[in-house]
Amino acid sequence: MGWVQRFLHAIASPDIAYILMTIGMLGIIMELSTPGLGAAGIAGVISLLLAFYSFQVLPVSLVGIALIVLAMILYVAEIKIQSHGILGIGGTAALIAGGLLLFDTSASYLKVSWPCSSRQWP
């Protein structure tokens, strides 16, 4: 495989796809909350596009995507509305639940991994 195919194969991992999507959302939210040069927004859009490519080749659940979109809406609403953190807590809960339900498959290697799974770290 060439370097482009190796790169696309590497980002097609469920863990990497979820991290790219989270970075993309945070970059766009950061750009909306504090507009500036656009570096956070550009990095966010690039990360989201790479995550969408990964989602194209992985079995994705619409419920997981809906929960993650809800989390993004709640985070943006937290910036605009004074809610004393309630919307942010709801957004975090929706993001975690969406991450757990994002991939619709019974194969364990096609799901987002828990940090303390049964794997042994070197």
Side-chain angles (χ1 to χ4, degrees):
M1 288 193 297
W3 67 273
V4 174
Q5 286 83 16
R6 284 193 311 247
F7 174 74
L8 294 176
H9 180 70
I11 66 169
S13 166
D15 295 327
I16 302 297
Y18 186 67
I19 290 170
L20 283 171
M21 186 199 51
T22 305
I23 290 172
M25 283 182 13
L26 291 175
I28 291 174
I29 289 171
M30 186 182 298
E31 186 65 34
L32 290 174
S33 66
T34 56
L37 295 175
I42 291 170
V45 169
I46 290 171
S47 295
L48 275 178
L49 289 174
L50 291 173
F52 291 155
Y53 171 80
S54 299
F55 292 159
Q56 180 181 347
V57 297
L58 293 169
V60 178
S61 169
L62 292 178
V63 174
I65 290 179
L67 282 169
I68 291 170
V69 168
L70 174 67
M72 186 173 178
I73 291 169
L74 289 174
Y75 285 144
V76 171
E78 176 70 32
I79 294 169
K80 302 294 182 187
I81 300 170
Q82 184 178 8
S83 68
H84 304 290
I86 300 298
L87 293 174
I89 292 170
T92 302
L95 184 65
I96 292 170
L100 293 175
L101 298 173
L102 186 59
F103 299 105
D104 187 23
T105 182
S106 62
S108 63
Y109 60 89
L110 285 178
K111 292 187 177 185
V112 176
S113 302
W114 283 95
C116 299
S117 65
S118 62
R119 291 186 267 173
Q120 296 294 325
W121 296 99

